[in-house]
Amino acid sequence: MTGISLALLAANPFGQKNSLSAAQLALIQQKYGVASSSIDPLVPAAIDCSRIKQLGIDRQENLRAGAIMIFCGLSEGGKASHGKAFSKLAKKLLSPLAFGSTDVDLITGAESFPNVTQSETFTTANPDNPNQIVVAYNDSRGRNFTPINISGASVSTDGGTTFTRLTKANGQSPFDNTFGDPVVLYHKPSGNWVTVWLDAACGGQGLGGYKSLTPDDPNSWTHFCAFNEGSADRES
């Protein structure tokens, strides 16, 4: 049963329900209504919790949707486990298998608690230059930055022996105003590296990204929009 529970948790990390009943919607309207303010930068200040189903937020899996579901009381946020035995079992079950050689740290530079979490990597190597590798990921470093930036990437120029996290002079990644969900690709005809994220500048929460011919230079990445809308979800 433990294995089944862990599998279900992995498939639905925010504990979201697949749909909301009329009773749940009525409770949300009564208890939460329209939020006039938010302590979470991922949650819009004027979010109307009664419109969760109408907006399809309960069917989305991105970080922003998860934060909204937690804010509106429809999902339980993370919490520390107090069961030592279960913790040891979970660690054993979820520990990675031994692949390749020695692990390499992608996260270089300063970290500032509590924004020290990274997740969901997407890795691409340059087919014309295998020494050049880019790994994109969710990065909470810019969660409280303005504009919000929870997207990051690290670049290797020595075939993966070492990586450097892309960091501009302001201490953030080049991917301003994005909500994570990483994709990074190499466009062979143009030589461009292309990242794609959930992007606030593309209709509120569309698909946008940044591209660069010199990916190890954090100042070389320029913005583009691929799709403008207000509720895009997990392009990766």
Side-chain angles (χ1 to χ4, degrees), residues 8 30 109 147 160 169:
L8 290 173
Q30 178 183 355

Side-chain angles (χ1 to χ4, degrees), residues 24-213:
Q24 285 175 310
L25 288 173
L27 179 61
I28 295 168
Q29 181 67 38
Q30 178 183 355
K31 186 174 181 180
Y32 298 99
V34 178
S36 59
S37 62
S38 168
I39 60 172
D40 189 332
L42 280 172
V43 179
I47 184 68
D48 185 348
C49 293
S50 67
R51 298 183 65 213
I52 292 291
K53 184 175 182 179
Q54 178 185 349
L55 297 172
I57 294 172
D58 59 320
R59 298 188 297 275
Q60 295 186 18
E61 296 182 350
N62 59 75
L63 293 174
R64 197 181 196 194
I68 292 171
M69 292 289 286
I70 292 169
F71 178 82
C72 289
L74 294 169
S75 289
E76 184 178 0
K79 60 183 179 180
S81 172
H82 299 290
K84 291 185 178 180
F86 178 78
S87 178
K88 289 181 179 179
L89 175 61
K91 185 176 181 180
K92 183 176 180 180
L93 289 172
L94 298 176
S95 60
L97 299 175
F99 292 117
S101 57
T102 305
D103 289 341
V104 178
D105 193 354
L106 299 176
I107 309 305
T108 58
E111 291 274 78
S112 180
F113 187 83
N115 297 333
V116 295
T117 302
Q118 294 82 29
S119 66
E120 195 181 346
T121 58
F122 195 118
T123 304
T124 299
N126 183 343
D128 297 323
N129 177 11
N131 284 326
Q132 191 178 59
I133 303 170
V134 180
V135 183
Y137 43 81
N138 300 327
D139 191 349
S140 66
R141 175 170 61 172
R143 183 182 178 92
N144 300 105
F145 196 74
T146 302
I148 192 170
N149 182 345
I150 54 172
S151 307
S154 296
V155 179
S156 175
T157 58
D158 55 16
T161 301
T162 61
F163 282 86
T164 300
R165 179 163 60 162
L166 295 176
T167 305
K168 297 193 300 182
N170 63 2
Q172 302 300 315
S173 83
F175 315 120
D176 295 334
N177 221 15
T178 57
F179 303 119
D181 282 333
V183 170
V184 59
L185 303 169
Y186 179 74
H187 186 245
K188 187 178 175 73
S190 67
N192 268 296
W193 285 89
V194 180
T195 64
V196 183
W197 315 91
L198 295 179
D199 195 322
C202 302
Q205 187 176 302
L207 301 183
Y210 289 77
K211 60 183 179 179
S212 171
L213 290 168

